[in-house]
Amino acid sequence: MLVTGAVITVRNGRAAVRVPRAALHCAGGECHGCSVCKDASRAFDDIPVDVPPSVKVGDAVQLQMRLPNEAVAALCVFGLPLVGLLVPAIGAWAAGGGSAVVFGSGGAGLVVGILAMVFVEKRLQVLGYGARFAGMADQGADTIAPGGEEPHV
């Protein structure tokens, strides 16, 4: 999937490209009803990507984005906390611990599982969602200004 955005920073061959969140979450122009694009405080995402030396701040560029994998997302959101809950609880039960030990270890494991989920999600953001520089956008491309506001026509 190709998305168009504006370069907001460039440093050492790596740029932050500001793209509308709706372009990332509404793949192919289809709204899936997730309401991501309705949150005005987070209307844009800044995606880190490697760029050639000719790219400058303010340039309109196209990024090749990897479509999100729903199975990986479900595993992160549901699997990590569930494993964090069950493994310590089953281990404490198998070791002959009382109910307080089982519930305590299960609760602690759940917290660790949720923290692991947050870490994985943040790491995916740092990696840039699999974004690759695809080229400069056309001058007439529908893009955004570097400050985040829509372009004036």
Side-chain angles (χ1 to χ4, degrees):
M1 165 175 78
L2 283 176
V3 296
T4 303
V7 176
I8 58 171
T9 62
V10 178
R11 180 179 293 152
N12 299 331
R14 193 126 170 105
V17 179
R18 182 160 289 164
V19 297
R21 288 189 69 129
L24 296 174
H25 295 276
C26 300
E30 291 183 32
C31 182
H32 301 289
C34 66
S35 299
V36 166
C37 54
K38 294 180 178 31
D39 185 3
S41 67
R42 297 186 59 195
F44 301 99
D45 272 339
D46 297 339
I47 306 295
V49 64
D50 292 326
V51 294
S54 61
V55 173
K56 297 172 187 53
V57 172
D59 286 347
V61 297
Q62 287 189 326
L63 302 179
Q64 177 66 44
M65 303 294 292
R66 187 172 27 131
L67 291 175
N69 186 337
E70 288 84 8
V72 172
L75 178 66
C76 288
V77 171
F78 299 110
L80 290 175
L82 183 64
V83 168
L85 172 70
L86 293 179
V87 169
I90 291 171
W93 174 75
S99 61
V101 173
V102 171
F103 286 120
S105 61
L110 179 62
V111 169
V112 169
I114 290 172
L115 291 175
M117 175 193 67
V118 170
F119 173 77
V120 167
E121 193 260 340
K122 293 294 181 188
R123 185 71 185 141
L124 289 175
Q125 285 181 352
V126 168
L127 293 175
Y129 302 107
R132 288 192 332 256
F133 177 77
M136 302 301 283
D138 295 335
Q139 291 295 351
D142 185 24
T143 185
I144 58 168
E149 57 276 349
E150 294 291 331
H152 300 289
V153 178

